[in-house]
Amino acid sequence: MKRFGRFLVIGVIGFVADAGMLGALLMWTPLGVYSARLVSIAFALTVTWLLNRLITFGPSSRHVAVEGARYGGVGIATSAINYLAYSALLWAVPDVPVIVALVVASVVALAFSFAGYSRLVFDR
């Protein structure tokens, strides 16, 4: 349970990184809500990998490059779930605020990401 609690804290930090990057990209670049989200997801994925490795799970027994590749694989799969939920909500409810779509999508992807990271990346 402690590990899941730490995972949630890191997830909140990742969410803030994601939302901050998304907001900055929407404000200061010509990127739209869909292309900017691809960049913000990649940024958040990098932040959460480093923090989960340091705080939540600790380094795995694998070489850091292998661990990073596995984290990236799980991250891409869960990010696809996250992005599809985000996009579907924006498409289905055009007036929904972007931040609401981001929150809903992040919650949808949460269980998938914890299961994947704890079993496929940082398993011992």
Side-chain angles (χ1 to χ4, degrees):
M1 204 59 185
K2 285 183 184 181
R3 182 178 282 177
F4 187 70
R6 289 189 302 260
F7 183 78
L8 286 176
V9 170
I10 300 305
V12 168
I13 293 168
F15 175 82
V16 170
D18 192 350
M21 179 62 74
L22 180 61
L25 291 169
L26 291 174
M27 186 178 299
W28 296 316
T29 73
L31 296 175
V33 294
Y34 300 105
S35 55
R37 187 70 208 287
L38 293 173
V39 175
S40 71
I41 284 174
F43 176 68
L45 188 62
T46 303
V47 169
T48 58
W49 171 47
L50 295 172
L51 292 174
N52 275 322
R53 184 174 205 276
L54 180 66
I55 297 168
T56 305
F57 301 106
S60 70
S61 59
R62 296 173 186 85
H63 187 276
V64 69
V66 173
E67 179 187 288
R70 288 174 75 122
Y71 194 93
V74 171
I76 288 169
T78 58
S79 294
I81 292 166
N82 188 314
Y83 186 79
L84 289 172
Y86 168 85
S87 299
L89 187 54
L90 288 176
W91 179 80
V93 187
D95 292 335
V96 70
V98 171
I99 191 70
V100 171
L102 180 64
V103 168
V104 169
S106 296
V107 170
V108 167
L110 175 69
F112 293 100
S113 61
F114 182 76
Y117 294 139
S118 63
R119 294 183 192 337
L120 301 173
V121 179
F122 296 105
D123 61 325
R124 304 257 185 246

